[in-house]
Structures are given as C-alpha cells and as structure tokens.
Amino acid sequence: MSSLLAPPASFRGILPPAPPRRPAPSALTARAARSCYRFRTDDDGVVDVAVSGKDGEEGYTVGVEVPPRPGARRRREGGLVLRAADSGEAVPLASPGHGACLAAELSVAASRAPFNLSFLLTDGEGTQIRTHRRTAFRVPVGVGRGSPAPLGLSLSEDGAANFALHSKTAKGVVLCLYDGVGGDEPAFEIDLDPYVNRTGNVWHVSLESVAGYASYGFRCGLFGTGHPLLDPYAKVIGDFVSGNSVHAAVPSMSCLGSLANPPSYNWGRGKRPCLPLDKLVVYRANVALFTKDKSSGLPGNVAGTFSGMTAKIQHFRSLGVNAVLLEPVFPFDQAKGPYFPYHFFSPTNSYSSEGHSASAITDMKDMVKAMHRNGIEVLLEVVFTHTAEGEAECQMISIRGIDNSSYYISDEIAGCKSGILNCNGPVTQKLILDSLRHWVLDFHVDGFCFINAPFLVRGPCGEYLSRPPLLESIAFDPVLSKTKIIADPWSPLDISNVQFPFPHWKRWAEMNTRFSIDVRKFLKGEALISDLATRLCGSGDLFDSRGPAFSFNYVSRNSGLTLVDLVSFSNDDLASESSWNCGEGPSENNAVLETRLRQIRNFIFILFVSLGIPVLNMGDECGHSSAGSTSYKERAPLNWKGLKTTFVKEVTGFISFLAVLRSRRGDIFQRREFLKLENINWHGSDLSEPGWEDPTSKFLCMHVIAENDGNTPDSIRGDLYICFNANVESVSATLPAPTEGSMWLRLVDTSLALPGFFGSKSNPKVQQVLRHSSYEVKAHSCVLFESTRDLS
C-alpha cells in the first residue's frame, strides 16, 4: 500500500518510486485506515504506520508495525520501544507470536489534529533506529487524501478543509499552514504524496480541521522547496508583502490565502438594473483617486475606498450616469499600479475601510448593492493578460511559481517586458472563466471591460487566433453572456492603443479608440469632416456587423491627457495626443480661456450626440488636470473643491442636460441599429454638399429626420439639426425649412455664456429660430436645433 503523504521536506525520499507490496494486514491495521505509510530504516528494515479513527470515539489511533525482515540485523530480537520525539514517552512494541510483527498503538485526541507525530525506535540494547536518512519517523495526523475539485480551498460546515491546486510542472507540493503568531515560518507543513495526493495535474489534500491556523500557502519548487505561494483560487487573502531579498535589486514578494470563509452577505431584495446596452451612460473611475483627497469630506478610513464610492453616488446621479466603470480592483502591486494584478478572486485590501480582505469583500458588495438601488450598474476593468509577478523566484507570488509553463506563453512576444498569460490555454482559460463567474455570482457585477484585449486573441506561441476559445466561451457562457463584455485595446505594458479587428460573435462591445482620435483632430482643425461624420453615426466602419450600441466612445481616458489638458497643452512630445492649447501655454488671456472653455464643451457635446455609448473619464466634469502629463502614475486624486466653482457647475449641468437629452431622444441617440440613409442629410454652410475630401473644410451640418410612427407626439420626435464648426471664424449656417406647422428651437450653442448656452423647451421664445433663417455658428463651437410644433 502506498503512503498517503510523504513526510515533510526534511524527510523526502523515504518512499519507493512505486507503491510497495505489503504483507497481509494484522488486526491492528485491518481497521479502516485513513492513511498508511511505509518507511525504510537505517538497518535495512521496514516500519509501517497506519493512522485511523477510533471506533465510536472522537480521536485517532496511530498503529506502528515492524514486520520481520529476512537478513535484518539481530538487534531487533531484544524487542523495540517507541519513543515520541517531543515527550520521550516510551511504548514497547509487542508481538503476538514468534515471527509475527512487532506492533504498538498510540491514541491521539482529535483536538490536536492536524499535526505531525514524530517518534524514534530503540532496540533492547538502547540503540536508536531511524529512517534510512537517519531522521525521526514523522507522520501527519488528521490528514486525508482530498479531492481534486473544486480548485482552491473548500471549507465544510464541520470545519474540515479541502485544498486543490493545479500544477503540471511541480515535482513536489507542500501545504504550509500559518498560525498568525509564529512569524514567517509555517506552523505546520504537509508534504503531498504524488501517488495519492495527485489526480492528473491537480494536487489535493484534506484536513479534518484547520482550527488554530490563520492562513496558508504552497511550496512548489523542486521537491516542494522555495517560499510559499498564494493559492490562485483563494477567495480571502492576506496583505501583499514586499521586502528585501538576497538580490538587492530584486525585492521579494509574498502573499498568503486566508483559511477563513468569505463573510456572509445579505443582498436582500435588491435587483440588478439590467439596463439595455444602448441606454448606458458610463463614468470611468479609480476607487482610490476618486475620494482620496481631503476635499471629498469623507473620514480617513472611508476616503479612497469602496465605501467612498458609495458615499458619492449622488454625484453620479446628478450627472445622469447609470453605469460606473471601475479601474481594476484585483489585488495589485502598489509600485506598478492596478493594471498589474497578482490575484483574480478577491478585491484589493487597500480599497477596504478596515484594511483587510474580509472588509474589502463586504465594502465592495455594499457599494454594488447601493449602486443597484440607485439604478447604476457596476462594470469592472479586468486584466487577464499579464500579472505583477517577476521571473526571479523571490518575485513569484502565485501562478508564476506554481505552474509557469501552463499559465504563461512560453515564447517571448516582441515589445513586451512582462510575461504574457496563455489566456487561450485550457488551464488559464478555466482560471479566467471561474474568476469572471465568481464576480458575477458572488459580487453581482454587471459587466467587464477587458484591458489589453489584443493579447486575448493570442495562442500559446503568441500567434493570433481567428476564433480564440476564451472569447468564444465568454460570449456564449450561460452566466457571462448576460453581462456587458467590452474589449479595450489599450495596453498598460507598452501604453499602446490601436484599434484592431476583434472577433465578437455579436456579443462583444469595444472601446472605440478611433472616436477619440478623429474627434480630437476635427476640433483641432486637422481631420477630414468625413471622419467626424463616421464617428457621429456610430462608427459603421468598425461596427457595421454589430450596431452602434457596441461602440463605447470616449474623448479622454485614464492614460493620456485629461480633458482640460487636451485644450491647455500641446508640444512635440504630445503630438500623439492631438491636443491643442488654443495658441498659448499657461494664459490669462480671456480670448484664449474662452476658446478653451468652448473646446471642452465641444468635446462633451460631440461625445453625447454621437451614436454609441458615451464614456466619461473621472475628472472630465470638474476640470481635473495632470499638468500636461500623460503618465498614468502621475494622476492626482480628484479635487472636490472644484465642484463649487462656476466653471464646474456649468460643465456638470451641461453633462446632466445631455444625458437627459439622450434619454428623451432615444429614438436617435440610443439605438442598436444604425440610422437609415434616408433619415440623414449632410450639409455645408448653405445647405450645399459638404466638402468631404477637402482638407480645408472644417464645417459640417447634420440633419437627422425623425422616424415618426404616427403614435408619438411631434413634440417628442422632432427633427434635429446639428452644426459643427472647427474654423477660426464664424460661419453662417442656413437652416432647412422645418415641417409644416413646426419651428426650430436652439437647444445648445457652445459659444454662448452661461446660462444661455444650453436649455430645454421651457422658454421657447428665447430659443426660437425664425423660419428660412440663417444662424451664425461662432468659431470653435457646436449648435443643436430641434424642431417642434409651432404653438403660435
């Protein structure tokens, strides 16, 4: 019978390479043994140990047998005595008859398990008998074979625990338990036997109790050596520790899983908003930077946490936002930032009000619950293409050291300094799918935005796949297919952001990089007006087979210039940003400041009147600046004092107005299908054909003819006429004649002063435009007209 568990690290190698044959069991070992072991001794003999439960009692029986061995040394004839290594207590081994086994039995209280029982044997002359490696005999008590599924830690109601870990390459695996008071060294180690504790490539073991222990990790180096590694499936984890190592230039990293169950949570009767994709207005935010500044007015333990997000829900509502896109909330290396995670199944402890994993879990669920109660969906940015782990052993935190060849792409991809995960390999694919389902089912998350999406379509050697199995699995998964799934081409590895053909199965949406580029160039006066027209109509060149609702449009994002910096900084180093400082650097010139204000309004206006999903970046609404820096690491926390300024009040009011306009005119702006060709007319300044291919043409008018079904009042579904002027001078635009009995109302003119540059139909006399008239569209401005019934 093979052993269930080999002794710990200092006793490796005592087991034969194949399960040995055993003699017929005696009465002592005939009981249902929970685990059996065979040791070779230093006198060429054999010692068998069986650990079993007492009949009808709580506790364990440890039976020790020394079978007769032909040719063994004669010193055993005087009898043997078993001495516990820790207490020195002596127990003689008895023999029921001549030539039979010498045997002894020890009783162990269940409360002590799991633990390692160490003992020595002494012959009649007082000579000690040890293992063939001249060490004490050592067996674990309270340990079982375990189950290979599910992966990770599973705790039962009676206190038993099962551990399962996938590792194809590990030659040995050691489970390390820590009591939380013994420093860095484990309080208990269990060396897993590959003959018993391994099924396929999954190592597993069970413990009848983990009481008295706080955390755990796995050693997966050669024969189970090396520092402990984090279980990739752990639901509750400890703090990330970065310290010194033997390599001065390479700091060590470590993190352990918690042996506690995730805190229970009552979701009550709360329901998910389940908003249609085309109805979304998205706000991208970083949990820490959103409320970390003292100006947020939140207590120190709340600022910069999930609870801080919850406290500011009214801010989202005032903007008309109904979906919050959070930058990665997975545990990450603080030195590298949230786009370099090292774990995928728990929120980072740093976003917790109490600073530990259980609190982070509860705080995040509270946030999601509160958001849903206010009709706001929660979307997560996720990074599954790379981790924060390094190649040096001291920088292996989890899967890098557990099974590098299964989880990572073996061949280095040009231009990438970090190891790339083999996302379409079966092991990594399962990890990702299990993680995503966990966030949906346990945290009630409404969708995901996949950062560095181009690497999700790569195969095991870095080649591009036409049908990546991971993306197809997500698209048709019974749980995940009901959520919002968005691909983002931005890469935190090399800060690239290039749109590419993405396999979608009409399920995947995408962050529209081209929208940002073309709108910036148009307002700078460098783009063809045909490029702007394409973006206004939902980017049919990119989403023709899906529809405009799959285009997530944005002007600024967390990497690159903020919205206010786009109109304030421009130089050779910022050429790729297509920014324009309106002619000057830092300025107090009123004309320059006025142009910058118009440009900010123009960016927001075009974002909201374009078909697709508008995505606001944190701080766009309040003039948040990074002083012209494009570096993600140099972003500052949001300054909430700015919300009280006149400038910010007008911008936030404008955003709120446009969000309401999109909802009211959902027939035009919130569509899953593109507008029909017969419902769009394009004009120049005098209703002539626009200069589509003229690079000097910087003026465009868009006439959207509403589709009336006869049941909808004309006051709700009137035509729209929108003018865009990127010229440095005003342009006189001739308005088309409205339908009989209707008139044009000006709803937006970004060149006017507050409060007159936007408004509703509540005061039509102020906004009414006479029939067959022209309207002066000022330089660097946009104007929106809506036709309505002429009540006069």
Side-chain angles (χ1 to χ4, degrees):
M1 181 182 298
S2 65
S3 68
L4 175 65
L5 293 173
S10 59
F11 297 87
R12 295 189 194 92
I14 63 172
L15 295 174
R21 297 178 60 86
R22 294 240 1 223
S26 64
L28 176 66
T29 59
R31 300 176 183 178
R34 297 186 179 181
S35 49
C36 300
Y37 309 84
R38 168 163 285 185
F39 297 88
R40 296 201 304 270
T41 66
D42 59 356
D43 68 342
D44 297 330
V46 172
V47 174
D48 293 324
V49 182
V51 180
S52 60
K54 284 188 173 182
D55 294 332
E57 301 181 28
E58 292 186 359
Y60 301 92
T61 297
V62 180
V64 180
E65 292 183 349
V66 182
R69 297 276 294 181
R73 298 176 184 174
R74 295 178 56 84
R75 64 183 185 181
R76 292 188 179 181
E77 295 179 358
L80 297 175
V81 175
L82 182 150
R83 295 184 182 276
D86 54 352
S87 65
E89 178 184 359
V91 178
L93 274 71
S95 174
H98 179 71
C101 296
L102 296 174
E105 186 176 280
L106 302 176
S107 296
V108 180
S111 59
R112 293 184 59 190
F115 71 99
N116 285 322
L117 175 66
S118 298
F119 63 90
L120 299 170
L121 295 177
T122 306
D123 64 10
E125 299 176 358
T127 303
Q128 289 184 341
I129 301 176
R130 300 174 180 264
T131 69
H132 75 294
R133 292 194 171 185
R134 305 197 62 77
T135 60
F137 301 93
R138 191 176 182 184
V139 294
V141 178
V143 179
R145 179 178 183 273
S147 170
L151 292 173
L153 167 65
S154 303
L155 295 171
S156 60
E157 294 182 357
D158 61 0
N162 187 81
F163 301 83
L165 178 77
H166 183 282
S167 181
K168 176 182 178 181
T169 58
K171 301 300 182 183
V173 174
V174 177
L175 173 64
C176 305
L177 303 182
Y178 297 79
D179 55 16
V181 296
D184 296 334
E185 294 301 318
F188 184 50
E189 291 187 338
I190 303 171
D191 199 335
L192 275 60
D193 180 358
Y195 294 112
V196 179
N197 297 99
R198 183 172 182 174
T199 302
N201 293 323
V202 178
W203 299 75
H204 45 84
V205 64
S206 63
L207 304 181
E208 303 212 0
S209 172
V210 289
Y213 300 103
S215 55
Y216 73 102
F218 295 96
R219 299 186 194 274
C220 296
L222 184 62
F223 302 116
T225 59
H227 68 278
L229 300 167
L230 174 64
D231 178 4
Y233 277 81
K235 303 303 187 298
V236 184
I237 67 171
D239 291 328
F240 176 80
V241 178
S242 180
N244 296 324
S245 69
V246 293
H247 305 284
V250 184
S252 64
M253 303 175 179
S254 64
C255 184
L256 298 173
S258 173
L259 289 169
N261 263 320
S264 59
Y265 192 81
N266 181 12
W267 287 97
R269 296 183 178 180
K271 295 182 179 179
R272 302 171 188 263
C274 296
L275 300 174
L277 189 63
D278 50 287
K279 306 297 183 186
L280 295 185
V281 176
V282 182
Y283 185 101
R284 188 203 307 263
N286 176 281
V287 173
L289 298 181
F290 188 63
T291 61
K292 188 176 182 179
D293 193 85
K294 292 182 179 180
S295 61
S296 67
L298 300 176
N301 66 322
V302 174
T305 67
F306 293 120
S307 299
M309 297 290 297
T310 305
K312 297 296 183 180
I313 286 180
Q314 184 55 40
H315 179 67
F316 301 128
R317 296 189 62 182
S318 67
L319 292 173
V321 167
N322 57 19
V324 174
L325 174 61
L326 298 181
E327 292 181 17
V329 300
F330 295 169
F332 60 91
D333 183 351
Q334 296 291 333
K336 296 180 179 179
Y339 291 98
F340 292 85
Y342 59 84
H343 190 61
F344 304 122
F345 282 86
S346 65
T348 177
N349 298 354
S350 61
Y351 292 167
S352 158
S353 59
E354 298 180 14
H356 57 77
S357 188
S359 172
I361 292 171
T362 301
D363 289 352
M364 183 173 177
K365 291 180 178 179
D366 285 342
M367 178 199 68
V368 174
K369 185 177 180 180
M371 293 280 190
H372 286 178
R373 190 165 54 244
N374 284 272
I376 301 173
E377 293 194 336
V378 178
L379 313 176
L380 299 183
E381 285 189 341
V382 290
V383 182
F384 288 117
T385 57
H386 58 275
T387 67
E389 298 185 72
E391 295 182 1
E393 182 179 350
C394 59
Q395 289 191 309
M396 295 180 180
I397 307 167
S398 183
I399 56 176
R400 186 72 138 174
I402 291 172
D403 195 353
N404 180 71
S405 65
S406 294
Y407 285 107
Y408 287 84
I409 290 179
S410 56
D411 295 336
E412 183 179 356
I413 297 177
C416 296
K417 298 179 181 179
S418 300
I420 303 300
L421 288 175
N422 184 13
C423 298
N424 289 293
V427 178
T428 311
Q429 179 180 331
K430 174 176 170 54
L431 176 75
I432 295 173
L433 292 173
D434 288 344
S435 170
L436 294 172
R437 295 188 193 108
H438 172 67
W439 289 101
V440 173
L441 298 175
D442 200 44
F443 285 84
H444 291 200
V445 166
D446 302 289
F448 305 93
C449 179
F450 293 77
I451 300 298
N452 201 16
F455 284 86
L456 295 175
V457 303
R458 299 213 177 192
C461 296
E463 73 280 12
Y464 283 97
L465 305 176
S466 59
R467 298 189 63 173
L470 171 65
L471 303 185
E472 189 169 6
S473 297
I474 293 174
F476 295 100
D477 185 87
V479 173
L480 303 178
S481 61
K482 298 177 182 178
T483 67
K484 279 78 176 177
I485 48 177
I486 311 153
D488 190 342
W490 179 73
S491 170
L493 297 175
D494 56 7
I495 317 300
S496 63
N497 193 9
V498 181
Q499 206 86 35
F500 74 106
F502 193 82
H504 53 79
W505 295 275
K506 295 187 178 181
R507 303 289 181 93
W508 282 85
E510 293 180 48
M511 284 290 172
N512 191 345
T513 301
R514 289 300 313 173
F515 180 91
S516 174
I517 295 172
D518 289 342
V519 172
R520 291 184 186 190
K521 287 185 175 181
F522 171 78
L523 292 179
K524 189 180 179 181
E526 294 181 349
L528 293 173
I529 57 175
S530 58
D531 294 334
L532 175 66
T534 300
R535 303 305 152 219
L536 291 171
C537 292
S539 298
D541 56 334
L542 302 174
F543 300 94
D544 60 321
S545 62
R546 282 172 282 181
F550 291 87
S551 172
F552 277 61
N553 303 329
Y554 67 92
V555 170
S556 65
R557 59 175 304 140
N558 47 11
S559 175
L561 292 177
T562 66
L563 178 57
V564 73
D565 288 351
L566 274 175
V567 302
S568 306
F569 297 90
S570 57
N571 52 53
D572 292 341
D573 294 335
L574 298 175
S576 63
E577 293 289 321
S578 298
S579 60
W580 180 49
N581 64 3
C582 304
E584 293 187 19
S587 176
E588 296 183 0
N589 185 310
N590 287 334
V592 171
L593 296 178
E594 181 181 344
T595 302
R596 290 176 179 175
L597 177 58
R598 288 187 190 181
Q599 290 290 75
I600 290 175
R601 294 174 177 175
N602 293 337
F603 275 121
I604 296 174
F605 177 76
I606 295 176
L607 177 66
F608 275 81
V609 300
S610 298
L611 271 66
I613 311 304
V615 180
L616 289 166
N617 194 51
M618 184 184 76
D620 283 354
E621 77 277 23
C622 59
H624 188 56
S625 173
S626 293
S629 172
T630 60
S631 173
Y632 175 85
K633 294 183 178 180
E634 294 184 15
R635 294 186 310 153
L638 202 62
N639 186 347
W640 289 85
K641 290 182 180 179
L643 292 173
K644 301 178 182 179
T645 65
T646 302
F647 162 74
V648 173
K649 287 181 179 179
E650 93 170 42
V651 173
T652 54
F654 188 37
I655 292 173
S656 178
F657 165 80
L658 292 173
V660 172
L661 175 67
R662 282 183 62 87
S663 178
R664 181 173 65 83
R665 296 309 309 268
D667 60 308
I668 293 176
F669 299 122
Q670 297 178 338
R671 301 175 59 92
R672 296 189 72 91
E673 305 85 19
F674 292 101
L675 290 167
K676 298 177 182 178
L677 291 177
E678 58 265 29
N679 292 113
I680 307 177
N681 290 325
W682 300 99
H683 301 294
S685 59
D686 56 356
L687 299 181
S688 60
E689 183 75 8
W692 294 119
E693 302 302 325
D694 182 1
T696 64
S697 178
K698 303 175 183 179
F699 184 84
L700 180 67
C701 293
M702 178 183 184
H703 184 192
V704 183
I705 303 171
E707 298 182 39
N708 289 308
D709 55 10
N711 298 321
T712 305
D714 292 341
S715 60
I716 297 178
R717 291 185 180 270
D719 294 354
L720 297 181
Y721 197 71
I722 314 173
C723 306
F724 307 90
N725 185 15
N727 288 287
V728 295
E729 65 277 341
S730 300
V731 176
S732 180
T734 302
L735 274 64
T739 57
E740 186 67 27
S742 298
M743 64 178 181
W744 289 112
L745 292 182
R746 188 198 70 236
L747 300 185
V748 175
D749 185 340
T750 61
S751 69
L752 300 179
L754 189 73
F757 85 90
F758 69 91
S760 63
K761 299 180 179 180
S762 59
N763 192 358
K765 290 184 179 181
V766 175
Q767 305 158 2
Q768 183 175 349
V769 180
L770 298 178
R771 293 173 58 87
H772 307 293
S773 63
S774 296
Y775 188 92
E776 184 180 8
V777 182
K778 297 292 181 65
H780 304 295
S781 69
C782 301
V783 185
L784 168 65
F785 302 94
E786 182 178 24
S787 67
T788 187
R789 186 176 298 279
D790 189 350
L791 300 180
S792 62

